[in-house]
Amino acid sequence: MSWMGFNSSPLAFDLYPFTFLTMVESLEAIFMSFFIMIGQNIARRESERRHHFDLQINLLNEREMTAMLRLMGTIAAKLEISEADQAEA
């Protein structure tokens, strides 16, 4: 707003269509989009690392749960617990 006010005065250097102002705003938009895209790429890489880490944790958890189920089956067999009682668990 002040740009338009100043350039409406006798000291104006960018007359009515404000071509210089348009160019400056366009350059600002280009730089802003560049920085936003860099930020999105960084966020995407971080997200991929986080998902990979979650996958590794889930695989380890699955392995541990499988071992626990085998152990529980062995304990149930030693204690002679019937299959019907084990089915619910």
Side-chain angles (χ1 to χ4, degrees):
M1 203 66 175
S2 62
W3 184 279
M4 291 178 203
F6 178 78
N7 283 300
S8 297
S9 72
L11 300 173
F13 61 90
D14 188 20
L15 298 178
Y16 169 65
F18 305 117
T19 310
F20 186 68
L21 175 64
T22 305
M23 183 190 69
V24 169
E25 290 298 319
S26 297
L27 287 173
E28 177 187 9
I30 290 168
F31 284 119
M32 291 299 291
S33 64
F34 179 70
F35 291 129
I36 288 170
M37 292 181 87
I38 287 173
Q40 286 177 341
N41 283 340
I42 291 170
R44 181 186 52 82
R45 275 190 242 125
E46 184 65 29
S47 177
E48 286 178 4
R49 272 185 272 190
R50 197 174 301 122
H51 287 292
H52 184 70
F53 185 65
D54 285 343
L55 174 66
Q56 296 301 318
I57 289 173
N58 289 337
L59 289 173
L60 288 173
N61 191 21
E62 183 179 341
R63 186 184 302 165
E64 183 179 329
M65 291 303 294
T66 302
M68 292 295 289
L69 287 171
R70 284 188 185 136
L71 181 62
M72 292 297 289
T74 304
I75 291 171
K78 292 268 186 188
L79 295 175
E80 299 176 353
I81 298 173
S82 68
E83 292 290 328
D85 291 337
Q86 292 181 39
E88 186 177 326

